[in-house]
Amino acid sequence: RMPASVPAADRWPRASAAFSLSFLSLVFSITAFSSSYWCEGTRKVAKPFCTGQNKGDHCIRFNSPDANNSNAVQYIWETGDDKFVERKFHAGIWYSCEEIVNERGEKCRSFISLTPAADRGVLWLSIVAELLYIVLLLTGAILMSIEMCYYSTVIDGLKINAFSAVVTVLAGLLGMVAHMMYTTVFQMTVNLGPEDWRPHTWDYGWSYCLAWASFACCMAAAVTTINKYTKTILEFKHKRKTLERSLKIKYKFPDH
């Protein structure tokens, strides 16, 4: 007969490591999904005309009342980057924000509305995949927490362990697909999006890195869970062989 239980001290370190990685992945994914810093960069915005006492490098002095003849034609001689000012922007799954010229604060727009119509379906698929990714991560973390506090038969514990491993692996695959789809949609929006939004320079932000860190933690949790399941099965087989061997010896040489 197989042993009914495994000592908690032998099971706890592996189970707690898998749960910690899964919980960390869940926190990272929720933070990244709700933020708008997946991509950051700058946009070139045309300088407005200076009005009233508004002077400086962020506006164009043209036909100003206090301007002399040389300043009156300054706008004609300004070329290239002198006509433009760079403004920072950041974009996420839900919205895109950029600095306002000559004012404090940001102006935000829905990123879905900026996406080309041909790629909008892919963006919605990415959003659905991200949501399923979070739901599966939460399910896996709950199953792992149940298994950590579960001290009944080992067979039931193994069933929970196997199911949590499958859920976590599936979550990782969904997360990878969702991140890659968003990357594709953003690059297409950069090339084909509205003229008043296209960035001059851009790069991936901290939310994008956090999303992939969540995927890495998710896969690490899955590997740890599968390793725990495999090691427990091997321990059972070893104990069973040892028990069968001892029983054979006992019945072959009974005590007199």
Side-chain angles (χ1 to χ4, degrees):
R1 183 180 177 183
M2 292 177 60
S5 62
V6 174
D10 188 40
R11 179 175 57 178
W12 182 263
R14 286 171 282 172
S16 61
F19 173 77
S20 300
L21 287 168
S22 181
F23 182 76
L24 196 63
S25 176
L26 179 63
V27 173
F28 285 172
S29 63
I30 293 175
T31 304
F33 184 68
S34 59
S35 69
S36 62
Y37 286 85
W38 285 61
C39 299
E40 300 178 77
T42 57
R43 288 191 60 247
K44 277 191 175 183
V45 182
K47 294 179 181 178
F49 292 115
C50 295
T51 57
Q53 300 298 322
N54 189 10
K55 296 181 181 180
D57 297 332
H58 300 303
C59 64
I60 299 173
R61 294 181 296 276
F62 183 57
N63 291 336
S64 301
D66 58 342
N68 55 32
N69 292 334
S70 62
N71 289 334
V73 295
Q74 181 176 356
Y75 174 71
I76 299 175
W77 293 100
E78 284 186 340
T79 58
D81 292 342
D82 291 336
K83 294 182 181 179
F84 299 92
V85 61
E86 289 190 347
R87 283 290 174 262
K88 294 181 180 179
F89 86 98
H90 54 89
I93 292 178
W94 297 107
Y95 51 91
S96 174
C97 299
E98 63 182 73
E99 294 178 336
I100 303 175
V101 180
N102 292 332
E103 294 182 25
R104 292 183 178 180
E106 293 181 329
K107 178 181 68 174
C108 296
R109 291 181 282 181
S110 170
F111 183 74
I112 298 172
S113 64
L114 299 171
T115 307
D119 300 307
R120 207 160 289 169
V122 180
L123 179 60
W124 279 113
L125 284 176
S126 173
I127 293 173
V128 172
E130 287 285 354
L131 288 172
L132 289 175
Y133 173 56
I134 293 174
V135 170
L136 288 176
L137 280 177
L138 179 61
T139 304
I142 292 173
L143 288 172
M144 291 176 189
S145 64
I146 291 174
E147 191 209 350
M148 286 173 62
C149 305
Y150 198 72
Y151 294 100
S152 184
T153 61
V154 176
I155 300 301
D156 291 339
L158 282 174
K159 290 178 181 179
I160 297 175
N161 189 221
F163 190 58
S164 62
V166 171
V167 168
T168 308
V169 170
L170 184 58
L173 293 176
L174 273 174
M176 179 182 66
V177 171
H179 303 344
M180 293 176 66
M181 283 194 296
Y182 176 79
T183 304
T184 303
V185 170
F186 184 84
Q187 292 175 350
M188 293 299 295
T189 306
V190 168
N191 296 325
L192 304 175
E195 289 285 350
D196 63 342
W197 177 85
R198 293 183 192 177
H200 177 60
T201 59
W202 66 276
D203 201 353
Y204 296 110
W206 62 266
S207 295
Y208 187 81
C209 298
L210 202 64
W212 282 108
S214 171
F215 166 75
C217 290
C218 175
M219 298 311 295
V223 170
T224 305
T225 306
I226 294 172
N227 177 264
K228 177 177 176 294
Y229 177 84
T230 306
K231 189 172 182 180
T232 304
I233 292 295
L234 292 176
E235 287 175 354
F236 280 155
K237 289 183 177 180
H238 176 72
K239 289 179 180 180
R240 184 175 181 178
K241 288 181 179 179
T242 304
L243 182 61
E244 289 176 351
R245 192 179 299 113
S246 63
L247 289 175
K248 286 181 180 178
I249 294 174
K250 182 178 180 180
Y251 283 108
K252 188 174 183 180
F253 304 100
D255 294 334
H256 295 285

